[in-house]
Amino acid sequence: HVQLVESGGGSVQAGESLNLSCLATINSRSTYYLGWFRQSPGKVREFVAAVVEDGNTIYADPVKGRFTISRDSATNTLVLLMNSLTPEDTAMYYCAADRNREWILLHPSHYGQGTQVTVS
């Protein structure tokens, strides 16, 4: 059983920062990778960032250098620090989980309900 609950979304001005959090409850002995996806109206859901093995991180090109993803294994919390936000970052942001390293980047099995980020 996997439950992902996002928080921290909101409305900000361009250039400002926002932090998103995801509390992951995973009742499994399997290792799960965690990441963030986002979806804007009329667009497909796209990969944002993920934490993979050994704590390594992967970012989509549009957010490299601006977003930072981190995972606290002790609390099973995934955090996305978003700096220098632009209107193009406006989207519903989803926390994601998958046992497969490739699928966490492409098509995760589990998503949270999402949290809205609006940049004007």
Side-chain angles (χ1 to χ4, degrees):
H1 174 69
V2 176
Q3 184 180 33
L4 306 170
V5 179
E6 304 94 337
S7 62
S11 296
V12 297
Q13 298 292 317
E16 294 184 342
S17 301
L18 205 59
N19 298 340
L20 305 182
S21 294
C22 171
L23 178 60
T25 304
I26 300 176
N27 296 320
S28 172
R29 295 183 178 180
S30 300
T31 297
Y32 275 78
Y33 299 104
L34 297 179
W36 291 95
F37 277 67
R38 67 185 182 185
Q39 186 169 19
S40 303
K43 295 186 178 181
V44 299
R45 192 171 296 186
E46 63 177 3
F47 169 77
V48 175
V51 180
V52 291
E53 62 277 351
D54 300 325
N56 292 319
T57 55
I58 299 176
Y59 296 93
D61 285 344
V63 307
K64 281 182 180 177
R66 300 188 299 122
F67 291 11
T68 302
I69 188 172
S70 60
R71 178 176 182 174
D72 185 336
S73 297
T75 61
N76 258 349
T77 301
L78 185 71
V79 174
L80 186 68
L81 308 180
M82 305 185 294
N83 295 320
S84 302
L85 287 163
T86 73
E88 288 68 37
D89 295 314
T90 295
M92 184 72 77
Y93 283 71
Y94 297 91
C95 183
D98 201 283
R99 291 183 294 178
N100 185 285
R101 188 196 187 279
E102 290 188 10
W103 283 114
I104 191 60
L105 307 179
L106 297 174
H107 189 49
S109 301
H110 306 277
Y111 286 106
Q113 292 299 308
T115 184
Q116 179 67 37
V117 172
T118 302
V119 185
S120 58

